[in-house]
Amino acid sequence: MTSSSAPQDPTTEAAKAPKAPKDPWDLPDVSGLVVGVLGGTGEQGRGLAHRFARAGQKVIIGSRSADRARDAAAELGHGVEGADNAETARRSDVVIVAVPWDGHAKTLESLREELAGKLVVDCVNPLGFDKKGAYALKPEEGSAAEQAAALLPDSRVTAAFHHLSAVLLQDTSLDEIDTDVMVLGEERADVETVQALAGRIAGMRGVFAGRLRNAHQVESLVANLISVNRRYKAHAGLRVTDI
């Protein structure tokens, strides 16, 4: 007596097969996103705006004064626009926070409505300075990024672009900046968007560096880089090896 069995459904077998892990360098196309920079008239904000615009990104720089923002945008060229902070937040898909630490909380509180639903990238470094040099401050929430997340419950907050030299960012003679960008966040899709934005700047690479609870270490490392720069008369950045 022979036995028979029903043929296997190839569709079912395929469904059971393990999926290949996602390539961590398979990042989205972000070329069409509008990037807003709050604090875009400051050194870091202007530098980031310059680099993104130079890479072909649509950029709006924000300031408390719309006139000051428009003047700075005209100096930068490359199609950069200037507006007050509220308009910048409303018109942008991704909003980079590059304001001074002492105005961080107040600025974000005032823009909670405009930033609702937006991808926010905090690059603020809470630092103090004394005769011994720079040192890290620790906000009550744990970090500037975590403060931003607490103040913006309806936004998707990430952290990145902390370790970039404003001097190099604004140097028009440099075609590339040799550095990695540590990116932190809670949602993989948001982190990958920021990684992809970092990769739009020639010479840069965005690297996932953990969740927002790890942002304090990343922010505070800037104090060490300031010490490096002063000793060696440099504009130091970071590279992560073996990835």
Side-chain angles (χ1 to χ4, degrees), residues 25 179-182 195 198-199 203-207 239-241 243:
W25 299 112
T179 192
D180 283 335
V181 173
M182 311 272 280
Q195 286 182 264
M204 288 191 194
R205 181 179 63 162
V207 177
R239 276 295 187 198
V240 182
T241 62
I243 57 170

Side-chain angles (χ1 to χ4, degrees), residues 151-198:
L151 294 172
L152 303 173
D154 298 319
S155 303
R156 293 136 48 215
V157 176
T158 61
F161 304 115
H162 302 90
H163 306 135
L164 306 181
S165 163
V167 173
L168 297 185
L169 288 172
Q170 295 186 70
D171 188 340
T172 57
S173 70
L174 288 180
D175 292 329
E176 296 187 359
I177 299 179
D178 180 24
T179 192
D180 283 335
V181 173
M182 311 272 280
V183 184
L184 304 98
E186 300 302 319
E187 299 296 333
R188 182 164 185 162
D190 294 337
V191 168
E192 289 181 344
T193 295
V194 180
Q195 286 182 264
L197 280 172

Side-chain angles (χ1 to χ4, degrees), residues 31-208:
S31 59
L33 297 181
V34 177
V35 176
V37 185
L38 304 182
T41 58
E43 296 301 308
Q44 196 78 359
R46 285 173 65 99
L48 286 168
H50 166 69
R51 288 291 159 179
F52 280 121
R54 189 168 166 174
Q57 212 75 34
K58 175 61 184 173
V59 177
I60 306 171
I61 59 174
S63 172
R64 287 176 296 178
S65 166
D67 288 339
R68 188 162 65 244
R70 284 191 284 267
D71 289 344
E75 291 175 9
L76 288 170
H78 297 285
V80 176
E81 294 184 36
D84 64 35
N85 282 331
E87 182 180 347
T88 298
R90 282 193 297 268
R91 292 178 55 195
S92 302
D93 301 305
V94 179
V95 180
I96 298 174
V97 182
V99 300
W101 167 240
D102 58 7
H104 184 260
K106 185 176 180 180
T107 299
L108 296 184
E109 284 175 334
S110 70
L111 297 172
R112 182 175 296 168
E113 182 177 341
E114 290 83 359
L115 290 171
K118 305 287 184 175
L119 176 53
V120 175
V121 187
D122 201 297
C123 71
V124 175
N125 302 303
L127 297 176
F129 295 86
D130 60 18
K131 63 182 181 181
K132 294 182 179 180
Y135 59 95
L137 304 174
K138 189 159 187 179
E140 182 179 349
E141 297 84 356
S143 64
E146 287 169 297
Q147 183 183 87
L151 294 172
L152 303 173
D154 298 319
S155 303
R156 293 136 48 215
V157 176
T158 61
F161 304 115
H162 302 90
H163 306 135
L164 306 181
S165 163
V167 173
L168 297 185
L169 288 172
Q170 295 186 70
D171 188 340
T172 57
S173 70
L174 288 180
D175 292 329
E176 296 187 359
I177 299 179
D178 180 24
T179 192
D180 283 335
V181 173
M182 311 272 280
V183 184
L184 304 98
E186 300 302 319
E187 299 296 333
R188 182 164 185 162
D190 294 337
V191 168
E192 289 181 344
T193 295
V194 180
Q195 286 182 264
L197 280 172
R200 294 276 289 161
I201 300 175
M204 288 191 194
R205 181 179 63 162
V207 177
F208 172 63

